Amino acid sequence: MEIGIDSFAMLATDPKTGQPQSAADRMERVLAEVELADAVGLDVFGMGEHHRENALDSAPAVILAAAARTRRIRLTSAVAVISAADPVRVFQEFATLDLISRGRAELVVGRGSFIDAYPLFGYDLRDYDALFVEKLDLLLKLNEAPHIKWQGRFRPPLNGEGVYPRPHQDRLPVWLGVGGTPESFARAGTLGLPLMVAIIGGHFERFRPLVDLYRHAWAAAGHPPAEERIGMHAMGFVGDTNEAAKDAFFPGWQQMMSQAGRERGWLPPSRAQFEAMCGPGGAFLIGSPQTVVAKTLEASAALGGVSRVTFQMSTAALETEAMRRSIELLGTEVAPSVRRAFL
C-alpha cells in the first residue's frame, strides 16, 4: 500500500491574535512538508485546488513544480477541478511537471467540494455534470496522443493542433476523485481509471457499496482485474500519543468546519463530534502510530482493499512542530507497519 499526504495549503487564523498566517511563510512551510515527506519515505504528496481566501492552492501545478526539488515522492493534484479548467492547459501544466520531476507527476481530477471555481471562470452550475464529462473526455484523449480532432459544447474544437510538451512518462496517471455520488464511482470503473475516494466524515463501511459499484463497472467494461486501483483520502494526523495527535489537529479542524458550516447552514462542530470521528468506527485516522496503523488497516478492509491512502492534515497548519512530527511518524512508523501487513 502507498501512503502519502494531501495539502490544501490552508491559511489558519491564530486564535491568540485573530490574525491569519503570513501567506509567504505558509507556502514555505508547505514546501518544507513535501521535502520532509520525501525524506522519511512517503510515497505521494497531493496538492488540492481551491479558489478561496483561506487557501493558497489555486495553482496546484505551480506549487508541485516547486516541490519537484524532492527526489522520489510522487506529486499529484488532489483534486484538479477539471470542470472549470481548460483540459489542454491542465495537461500541459502536468506534463511540464512530469518533465521537471522526471516522471513523478500524477493527476487526480474531480469536480471539487466547493463551487467557487465555476462563477470565477464563467461557467454555469446547471452544466455541472456535463462540464465534467466533456472535459474529462478531452483530457483523457490528450493523454493518449498530441494531435487529436475533438469537438464539444464548452471549448473551441481541436483540429489536430499539437498539444505539447508530452510527459516524461508514456502517459500521465489520471485518477478520478469521487465523493458520494454513485454515478461517479460507476464512471471511473467504466473508463478504467484508478479511483480516489474522499472520506471526510461518517464511517468507512458506508462507502463499500459505492466501491463495489466501481468494481462491478470495471469488470463489466472488461478492464484487466490486476490493473484496478482504489485509493482513499481521509482526515489524518499522527502524534506520539492519541491525545497529542487530537489536540494538535482539533483547533484547525474546528476552525475550518465552522467556516464551512456558516456557509452551508451546519451547526458548529463540537469536540464530542470530533472525538467520535477519531474513535472506533469513525473516519478520522488520528492518533498514535499504533492507533493510525490499526485504523488504516481497518479502513482498507472495510472497502475491500485499497492500494493508496493519503492523509489530509492541512488543518493543523498552525502547529508547525506537531505537523513535522506527524509526517516523521507517518513515514517512519505508520507506513512501514502498514506495508508489512500487505506482504
Side-chain angles (χ1 to χ4, degrees):
M1 182 191 289
E2 295 176 325
I3 302 291
I5 59 176
D6 290 332
S7 177
F8 295 162
M10 291 181 61
L11 283 172
T13 299
D14 188 324
K16 297 177 182 177
T17 66
Q19 297 299 311
Q21 293 171 287
S22 158
D25 288 348
R26 177 64 182 129
M27 192 65 78
E28 182 179 0
R29 289 172 185 164
V30 167
L31 295 176
E33 290 164 13
V34 189
E35 290 187 309
L36 179 58
D38 186 50
V40 298
L42 291 176
D43 300 293
V44 60
F45 177 85
M47 179 56 63
E49 179 187 342
H50 298 84
H51 301 269
R52 306 173 63 78
E53 185 178 9
N54 67 337
L56 300 174
D57 59 351
S58 64
V62 177
I63 301 173
L64 292 171
R69 61 195 185 189
T70 50
R71 295 181 178 274
R72 191 189 63 86
I73 197 165
R74 298 193 66 78
L75 303 168
T76 182
S77 57
V79 301
V81 186
I82 192 71
S83 309
D86 181 354
V88 172
R89 291 299 288 159
V90 172
F91 178 83
Q92 290 175 323
E93 289 165 358
F94 278 82
T96 302
L97 171 64
D98 201 51
L99 294 174
I100 295 170
S101 64
R102 291 188 175 270
R104 292 186 283 134
E106 299 186 5
L107 271 163
V108 180
V109 299
R111 290 178 284 197
S113 57
F114 293 92
I115 62 172
D116 307 79
Y118 294 85
L120 181 63
F121 295 109
Y123 292 106
D124 191 327
L125 276 171
R126 290 174 294 185
D127 297 321
Y128 186 75
D129 193 60
L131 280 163
F132 183 72
V133 171
E134 178 177 302
K135 293 192 174 193
L136 177 61
D137 173 69
L138 176 54
L139 179 69
L140 296 177
K141 286 182 168 62
L142 291 171
N143 204 21
E144 294 295 323
H147 300 278
I148 66 171
K149 291 189 176 181
W150 177 92
Q151 186 167 353
R153 288 175 53 198
F154 303 106
R155 189 200 185 281
L158 294 176
N159 296 299
E161 301 89 345
V163 177
Y164 295 103
R166 305 307 295 177
H168 185 73
Q169 302 171 85
D170 290 337
R171 296 176 184 82
L172 290 171
V174 179
W175 298 62
L176 193 60
V178 299
T181 306
E183 292 79 8
S184 297
F185 285 80
R187 178 181 294 134
T190 299
L191 291 173
L193 297 178
L195 182 77
M196 179 57 69
V197 187
I199 302 178
I200 59 173
H203 302 277
F204 295 114
E205 291 81 3
R206 76 180 183 91
F207 287 85
R208 178 61 181 268
L210 295 169
V211 173
D212 286 344
L213 182 61
Y214 166 77
R215 292 190 171 107
H216 292 322
W218 180 284
H223 301 302
E227 295 181 9
E228 177 187 281
R229 296 190 72 192
I230 298 169
M232 180 185 74
H233 158 104
M235 294 285 182
F237 201 78
V238 192
D240 290 297
T241 65
N242 288 338
E243 289 308 310
K246 290 187 289 187
D247 288 346
F249 195 84
F250 175 73
W253 175 82
Q254 184 184 45
Q255 189 177 122
M256 179 189 72
M257 295 304 294
S258 294
Q259 180 174 345
R262 287 192 295 270
E263 296 174 4
R264 302 183 182 190
W266 302 339
L267 292 174
S270 68
R271 180 75 188 221
Q273 290 172 318
F274 175 77
E275 292 285 347
M277 294 304 299
C278 294
F284 288 0
L285 305 175
I286 297 175
S288 69
Q290 297 78 12
T291 295
V292 173
V293 168
K295 287 200 74 175
T296 300
L297 296 176
E298 290 169 7
S300 178
L303 297 179
V306 300
S307 58
R308 176 180 289 184
V309 175
T310 57
F311 287 64
Q312 172 50 254
M313 53 178 69
S314 286
T315 52
L318 284 173
E319 304 292 338
T320 304
E321 291 307 314
M323 177 75 82
R324 290 186 61 84
R325 182 61 175 156
S326 179
I327 295 170
E328 289 172 354
L329 291 171
L330 189 61
T332 61
E333 297 193 28
V334 174
S337 295
V338 170
R339 292 171 189 142
R340 282 195 296 270
F342 285 88
L343 292 178

